[in-house]
Amino acid sequence: MLVLPCFVSFAGSEPSAQAALPITSKSAELSRPYQVRFGERIPVADGITLSATLVLPLPTDKPRPVILTLTPYSADRYYPIATQYASAGYVAAIVEVRGRGDSDGRFVPYENDVSDGLKVIEWLERQPFSNGDIGMRGGSYTGFLQWGLAARRPPGLKTIIPGAPPYFGVDSPSYRGVQIPYRMRWYALVAGRQRNGNLNTDREYWQGLYAELARGEIALESLDRESGIDSPYWRASLTQDYLHDLAELLPTEEELSQVSIPILSITGFYDGAQLGTLSHFRAAIAATDKKTPFYQVIGPWNHHGVSNPQSEVGGISFPEAQSRPFEWHLAWFDWVLRGGDKPEYLKDRVTYFSLGDQRWHGRQGVDQANSELKLYLSPTMSDEGIASPDSGSLHFQLEQKASSSSNQYCWSYDPGRPPISWGPYFGSLSGGDKHLLNDPLPDQLDGRGLLFTSDAFERPLQVAGSSELHVQLITDVPDTDLAAVLYALHKDGSRQTLAWDMLRARYRNGPLGEPQLLEPGKPAEFRFQLTWVAQRLEAGARLQIMLTSPGISYFFHRNRNSGGDVAKETLADTRIATLCLSPDPEKNRLELPLGSL
């Protein structure tokens, strides 16, 4: 006999009091605000079809512009934003790339996405709901795909909004040659077909694994297997051949020279993909006529904030620059695809927010500056003629004329020393909620770096742009890693992280070039391109520069200084490095770009 559970109600039975709700006039008038088509199949190549979720405004038979998101991160993740576009009168299409979600095929990061994307755009053009005008949006991985598709110039693609895309050979798959174990978390996120969000965000698991790697208990090349994920892409990403293969996917200068559609590029001061974002934008500007409708917005956000609402990061609040991606994107699409007014936030080709004065500014070029201030790293001498790093910060002058000094200043990088949790790229993981205003490392270097502090500024100063730090170092090892961080010391005592950079010595001429090991005892010159930032410094504020080794932290892979294959090295390969600043102040300087106050 079939026994039905007691909570099942039959027609004609006495309904419960809770179920006896009156039918109101409001409920009688309810109807769907848009139509959803789940699991649409888009043919691409080799019999492969991709899965698309479409959200269409009503009526669906009216041709409209289409907003496309091509993603490896699952269609459901972008469903809420798709409904917002549909409510604004656009067709929203979320398409999962090959091998991810419900799409056919095998996922190989980046390999098939642009060629498949061309077929997706062609398919969308032909649909009855489309008027043939397609715009793209999305950040990070999806941002990179937009540049690749724009360079191929499909007729239907009328505009793109790439946020925080990587640029191979610059910040991906390593950052200027320095591997970042955190990337293994990304490979975990996209392992298999589903989005493994909980595994990706298991901080205790991953930080423990990174610490084991930093202690030399495991090698970098086995990090995937140690994590429980057999990822051939992770192991391949550690090789130069793979890096060159990825670089082949970048738009060429010739391809970019033919791009004329409007482009809105977006990044943030604390976006880990800022260097990649600006590399794409600089390449596009260099290859095209300056009249091309390319725009760059740079706000005070981190990687997450580029694509999601954010009004505070790391203790820095910026309500006047709260990121509102949907509203800004919608204003852009309305302008480009519907002939509306130009968005108010686009002041010039480059629009940036300045911390300190809390205002938006404009300029015509990313690297344009009103003027430049050179600050030389020339130590202040004590009464005995030597300034001790242990007795206080080393000093660097604000005068344009460098002073001479014959003293060398050194630090030690020992990969066998216990690792710490530190890093401007990963400050939120190591420094708490206020990490951008409270970096403790400069006060706790303990021989692991050098700290230089400027005189107080007599008048307000507007920093705006990407600073360059030039240093000449003498080492006793054939290879090592370097990091530089720029801080603002405010009158209230807070130390604000402004900008940073890091590099691997053997790739000081670029990761895509031939590795060039150091000659121990011979001076070598290094150029740090610090991240782009805009900050108004009040009178009385100071600047600090810290030179250190990223490998002191387990958030960055430890170069063991041997000059060998860093992917295979373990504790047994460790060599202690001594790094000394050359005595020539002209070789050691910070070039600080200034904007208008």
Side-chain angles (χ1 to χ4, degrees):
M1 180 179 67
L2 177 62
V3 179
L4 295 172
C6 62
F7 56 78
V8 175
S9 177
F10 297 94
S13 64
E14 185 69 26
S16 67
Q18 185 177 5
L21 296 175
I23 299 178
T24 65
S25 59
K26 182 178 179 181
S27 63
E29 296 170 359
L30 283 175
S31 61
R32 290 173 295 172
Y34 35 75
Q35 184 183 86
V36 177
R37 296 181 184 174
F38 179 80
E40 288 278 340
R41 308 308 299 183
I42 302 178
V44 286
D46 307 321
I48 298 293
T49 63
L50 305 186
S51 177
T53 296
L54 305 177
V55 186
L56 297 86
L58 300 173
T60 59
D61 58 353
K62 179 182 178 180
R64 305 171 188 268
V66 180
I67 308 302
L68 168 63
T69 302
L70 189 61
T71 179
Y73 298 130
S74 85
D76 188 65
R77 182 186 186 192
Y78 299 98
Y79 177 78
I81 195 75
T83 64
Q84 289 183 277
Y85 279 112
S87 297
Y90 291 91
V91 174
I94 315 166
V95 180
E96 294 169 321
V97 301
R98 182 184 296 223
R100 295 290 296 151
D102 293 322
S103 290
D104 299 338
R106 184 173 69 91
F107 177 62
V108 181
Y110 303 105
E111 185 173 278
N112 303 292
D113 300 329
V114 170
S115 57
D116 287 349
L118 293 172
K119 297 293 185 181
V120 169
I121 291 172
E122 292 174 5
W123 185 87
L124 290 171
E125 283 184 84
R126 298 193 303 266
Q127 302 311 302
F129 56 72
S130 170
N131 69 357
D133 292 340
I134 297 164
M136 291 190 70
R137 59 157 300 278
S140 202
Y141 189 107
T142 301
F144 173 83
L145 300 187
Q146 292 177 65
W147 278 111
L149 285 163
R152 301 287 289 274
R153 296 183 296 130
L157 185 61
K158 298 300 193 291
T159 186
I160 61 172
I161 307 180
Y167 195 94
F168 300 126
V170 173
D171 63 346
S172 182
S174 62
Y175 198 101
R176 300 198 66 190
V178 180
Q179 281 88 8
I180 301 177
Y182 182 89
R183 286 187 58 83
M184 189 57 229
R185 284 176 60 172
W186 182 81
Y187 286 102
L189 181 68
V190 296
R193 289 188 168 271
Q194 63 185 353
R195 184 174 183 270
N196 305 304
N198 288 323
L199 172 59
N200 171 264
T201 56
D202 187 351
R203 182 179 299 182
E204 184 177 357
Y205 179 78
W206 291 107
Q207 291 190 191
L209 183 65
Y210 303 156
E212 294 171 21
L213 174 68
R215 293 194 297 267
E217 297 167 9
I218 58 178
L220 186 68
E221 67 176 3
S222 62
L223 194 64
D224 63 323
R225 296 189 180 97
E226 292 290 340
S227 73
I229 300 166
D230 189 351
S231 173
Y233 315 121
W234 165 258
R235 297 189 295 276
S237 73
L238 307 178
T239 67
Q240 282 295 99
D241 288 344
Y242 184 76
L243 178 58
H244 283 276
D245 289 344
L246 286 178
E248 291 293 321
L249 300 177
L250 291 168
T252 66
E253 182 179 1
E254 182 178 358
E255 288 174 331
L256 288 173
S257 70
Q258 303 300 313
V259 177
S260 59
I261 62 172
I263 296 175
L264 176 61
S265 173
I266 305 177
T267 188
F269 301 158
Y270 303 106
D271 172 16
Q274 184 206 102
L275 182 57
T277 305
L278 297 184
S279 294
H280 280 287
F281 190 76
R282 289 178 175 119
I285 292 295
T288 57
D289 189 297
K290 292 185 178 180
K291 295 181 181 179
T292 49
F294 299 165
Y295 295 86
Q296 177 69 59
V297 173
I298 313 175
W301 319 299
N302 61 16
H303 194 65
H304 178 79
V306 170
S307 301
N308 299 274
Q310 186 177 62
S311 60
E312 186 273 341
V313 59
I316 301 174
S317 179
F318 37 84
E320 296 84 352
Q322 178 177 353
S323 58
R324 297 182 295 274
F326 172 72
E327 289 85 351
W328 292 0
H329 293 186
L330 182 61
W332 173 271
F333 287 133
D334 284 349
W335 176 45
V336 176
L337 300 179
R338 287 176 166 167
D341 295 332
K342 183 178 180 179
E344 293 183 1
Y345 60 84
L346 293 179
K347 298 180 178 297
D348 289 287
R349 182 184 289 274
V350 177
T351 299
Y352 64 91
F353 188 79
S354 172
L355 294 168
D357 65 352
Q358 296 289 308
R359 291 194 298 118
W360 288 100
H361 298 256
R363 60 171 50 166
Q364 288 305 307
V366 169
D367 300 311
Q368 179 191 54
N370 287 29
S371 60
E372 183 182 85
L373 183 63
K374 293 184 179 180
L375 297 86
Y376 295 90
L377 278 63
S378 52
T380 295
M381 310 308 292
S382 68
D383 293 339
E384 292 77 23
I386 299 176
S388 168
D390 297 328
S391 62
S393 301
L394 299 177
H395 177 80
F396 65 107
Q397 299 181 3
L398 294 178
E399 292 82 8
Q400 297 294 316
K401 181 180 178 182
S403 64
S404 60
S405 172
S406 60
N407 294 278
Q408 288 187 340
Y409 290 81
C410 307
W411 80 90
S412 175
Y413 165 46
D414 180 2
R417 192 171 174 175
I420 62 173
S421 60
W422 169 84
Y425 191 108
F426 300 106
S428 60
L429 299 179
S430 57
D433 294 338
K434 307 292 184 181
H435 65 276
L436 291 176
L437 294 176
N438 186 36
D439 186 347
L441 183 59
D443 296 326
Q444 303 171 15
L445 277 172
D446 191 22
R448 293 174 294 195
L450 298 178
L451 185 66
F452 298 81
T453 305
S454 77
D455 288 325
F457 292 100
E458 296 180 355
R459 57 179 176 81
L461 197 69
Q462 176 69 58
V463 178
S466 177
S467 303
E468 285 193 4
L469 176 65
H470 298 260
V471 298
Q472 187 180 70
L473 294 171
I474 303 170
T475 70
D476 56 358
V477 293
D479 191 34
T480 194
D481 292 347
L482 304 168
V485 186
L486 175 66
Y487 301 98
L489 290 180
H490 298 294
K491 289 190 297 183
D492 64 4
S494 62
R495 176 189 286 119
Q496 179 185 343
T497 300
L498 293 181
W500 65 281
D501 191 19
M502 64 180 176
L503 58 86
R504 178 151 289 169
R506 72 174 73 181
Y507 296 124
R508 58 193 178 278
N509 297 321
L512 290 172
E514 286 295 320
Q516 184 179 358
L517 295 177
L518 300 170
E519 294 184 37
K522 183 178 179 180
E525 296 186 5
F526 301 89
R527 182 180 73 92
F528 296 92
Q529 185 175 7
L530 303 180
T531 46
W532 211 105
V533 70
Q535 173 76 47
R536 186 181 189 273
L537 299 173
E538 71 276 23
R542 301 171 183 266
L543 288 175
Q544 284 188 323
I545 280 286
M546 181 176 67
L547 290 172
T548 187
S549 305
I552 65 174
S553 169
Y554 59 72
F555 290 120
F556 305 102
H557 177 238
R558 285 191 151 178
N559 189 333
R560 302 259 163 206
N561 304 325
S562 72
D565 186 343
V566 293
K568 300 180 182 297
E569 290 180 332
T570 58
L571 184 61
D573 302 291
T574 294
R575 291 181 58 178
I576 299 174
T578 301
L579 304 97
C580 297
L581 198 67
S582 76
D584 183 357
E586 288 287 350
K587 300 291 187 182
N588 305 298
R589 66 190 185 278
L590 176 70
E591 297 175 356
L592 195 69
L594 303 180
S596 57
L597 288 167

